[in-house]
């Protein structure tokens, strides 16, 4: 009993303005938790769009496709087919890190959803060669002309145009996510300001008395800022924790578009995760491994940002209010 009474007296002394009754320890954390939850979603969208732009920019833009009609027909140069002549020309080109000629079976599987069984239709399929550029290099400017000379009618398809359009799309998504973060931050500032003003109104008489007895603006603003910071950090932590299950689900669904199959964004090999966690938690380990590392770094910062917003907003609101006192 004595210890409980001592702790109660200590809390009252640390809360000299009785702000526990003025600033609710339920409403403000709940509102900040909701804002943090939305901020986590917007942040994950920005990180995901950035990873997609990086993958599409370095992946799709580096792939070229060459179509050789009547690839099995004799080429201009005797002793080789049209497809062989094109493949030899491309293999000798140093700008390409790989030259892969797609076989008939693989080409038939690719066209099956549209044409059905290609073996039962009298349709001459072109020979297809897939090219991958070396990092930092572009295809030769005269490549299309050289391919036409080797095998007239050869088509060179570049994915750079589509890649550029996709990068513009992901950049727009990043801008939208950034705007959403700014809106959430603005709403959080407004929420903290309104809560602080409500606390000032509730304790107006006590504050005027304390201020009249010589309490400085820094003291009064500090009491409000400390209380608001704790509540905002609590709400930020709750909102961040609540967002994690949804983010894990979203990362798991978006993993095929953001990283190669089997890749892990964590600096921990998936095999180590399997050793550390029981088999029943394998799906959780897989989801954790798919969360991008930048997102793991950013999520713990959300409660800190919420605390900074709470402290700075309370300081500005209280000091502005105090300057208007007679």
């Amino acid at each position: 009993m004595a210890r409980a009474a001592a702790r109660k007296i200590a809390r009252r002394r640390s809360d000299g303005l009785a702000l526990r009754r003025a600033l609710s320890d339920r409403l403000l954390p709940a509102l900040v938790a909701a804002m943090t939850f939305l901020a986590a979603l917007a942040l994950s969208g920005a990180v995901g769009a950035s990873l997609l732009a990086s993958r599409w920019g370095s992946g799709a833009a580096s792939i070229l496709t060459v179509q050789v009609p009547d690839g099995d027909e004799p080429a201009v140069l005797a002793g080789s087919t049209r497809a062989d002549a094109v493949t030899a020309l491309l293999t000798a080109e140093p700008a390409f890190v790989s030259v892969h000629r797609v076989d008939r079976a693989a080409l038939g599987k690719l066209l099956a959803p549209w044409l059905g069984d290609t073996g039962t239709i009298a349709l001459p399929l072109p020979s297809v060669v897939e090219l991958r550029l070396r990092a930092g290099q572009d295809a030769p400017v005269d490549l299309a002309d050289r391919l036409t000379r080797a095998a007239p009618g050869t088509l060179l398809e570049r994915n750079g145009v589509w890649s550029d359009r996709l990068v513009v799309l992901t950049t727009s998504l990043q801008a939208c996510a950034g705007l959403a973060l700014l809106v959430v931050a603005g709403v959080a500032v407004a929420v903290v300001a309104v809560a602080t003003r409500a606390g000032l109104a509730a304790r107006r008489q006590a504050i005027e008395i304390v201020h009249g007895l010589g309490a400085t603006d820094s003291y009064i603003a500090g009491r409000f800022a400390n209380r608001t910071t704790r509540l905002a950090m609590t709400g930020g932590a709750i909102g961040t924790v609540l967002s994690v299950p949804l983010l894990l689900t979203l990362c798991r669904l978006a993993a095929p578009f953001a990283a190669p199959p089997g890749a892990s964004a964590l600096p921990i090999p998936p095999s180590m995760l399997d050793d550390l966690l029981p088999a029943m938690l394998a799906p959780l380990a897989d989801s954790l491994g798919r969360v991008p590392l930048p997102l793991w770094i950013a999520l713990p910062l959300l409660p800190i940002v919420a605390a900074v917003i709470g402290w700075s907003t309370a300081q500005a609101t209280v000091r502005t209010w105090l300057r208007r006192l007679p």
Side-chain angles (χ1 to χ4, degrees), residues 236-294:
I238 294 173
T240 301
V241 171
L242 292 178
S243 69
V244 170
L246 179 58
L247 295 183
L248 291 178
T249 303
L250 293 177
C251 289
R252 187 180 180 86
L253 294 175
F257 304 97
S264 175
L266 277 175
I268 302 176
S271 59
M272 185 178 295
L273 284 175
D274 294 338
D275 295 337
L276 293 176
L277 296 176
M280 62 181 300
L281 296 181
L284 177 60
D286 181 67
S287 299
L288 291 174
R290 294 181 186 275
V291 177
L293 183 58

Side-chain angles (χ1 to χ4, degrees), residues 23-322:
L23 293 175
S24 172
D25 57 357
R26 295 181 181 180
L27 180 59
L28 183 58
L31 294 175
V32 174
M35 296 297 103
T36 306
F37 184 87
L38 296 176
L41 295 183
L43 190 61
S44 65
V47 172
S50 176
L51 293 177
L52 288 176
S54 176
R55 185 187 177 190
W56 288 339
S58 61
S62 65
I63 298 177
L64 289 80
T65 304
V66 175
Q67 297 183 23
V68 187
D70 302 322
D72 295 331
E73 298 294 327
V76 177
L77 299 176
S80 65
T81 63
R82 289 163 53 87
D84 291 336
V86 169
T87 303
L89 186 152
L90 296 172
T91 303
E93 178 58 51
F96 301 115
V97 68
S98 68
V99 178
H100 172 64
R101 183 174 174 179
V102 182
D103 57 34
R104 293 290 181 178
L107 187 59
K109 290 181 179 180
L110 292 174
L111 298 176
W114 294 272
L115 301 180
D117 186 4
T118 57
T120 61
I121 60 176
L123 180 67
L125 298 178
S127 297
V128 178
V129 182
E130 185 180 82
L131 313 173
R132 183 175 293 274
L133 291 167
R134 294 185 183 277
Q137 292 196 11
D138 296 325
V141 179
D142 61 341
L143 180 61
D145 295 335
R146 290 158 56 191
L147 291 173
T148 302
R149 288 195 297 268
T154 300
L155 300 177
L156 175 64
E157 295 184 358
R158 304 172 185 266
N159 296 331
V161 176
W162 288 104
S163 177
D164 293 341
R165 293 177 180 177
L166 291 174
V167 170
V168 171
L169 173 61
T170 55
T171 302
S172 302
L173 293 176
Q174 286 179 283
C176 292
L179 180 61
L181 285 173
L182 291 178
V183 171
V184 169
V187 173
V189 169
V191 166
V192 174
V194 169
T196 304
R197 287 185 175 275
L200 289 169
R203 302 299 299 161
R204 180 184 180 91
Q205 193 172 31
I207 293 172
E208 289 179 345
I209 293 174
V210 173
H211 191 263
L213 293 175
T216 63
D217 292 358
S218 299
Y219 170 80
I220 299 174
R223 299 280 73 75
F224 273 90
N226 292 340
R227 174 70 173 164
T228 305
T229 300
R230 288 193 294 270
L231 297 178
M233 178 169 282
T234 301
I238 294 173
T240 301
V241 171
L242 292 178
S243 69
V244 170
L246 179 58
L247 295 183
L248 291 178
T249 303
L250 293 177
C251 289
R252 187 180 180 86
L253 294 175
F257 304 97
S264 175
L266 277 175
I268 302 176
S271 59
M272 185 178 295
L273 284 175
D274 294 338
D275 295 337
L276 293 176
L277 296 176
M280 62 181 300
L281 296 181
L284 177 60
D286 181 67
S287 299
L288 291 174
R290 294 181 186 275
V291 177
L293 183 58
L295 193 57
W296 282 120
I297 297 174
L299 283 178
L301 297 178
L302 290 178
I304 299 176
V305 173
V308 171
I309 290 177
W311 183 88
S312 58
T313 304
Q315 283 277 356
T317 303
V318 174
R319 289 178 181 273
T320 301
W321 186 85
L322 290 174

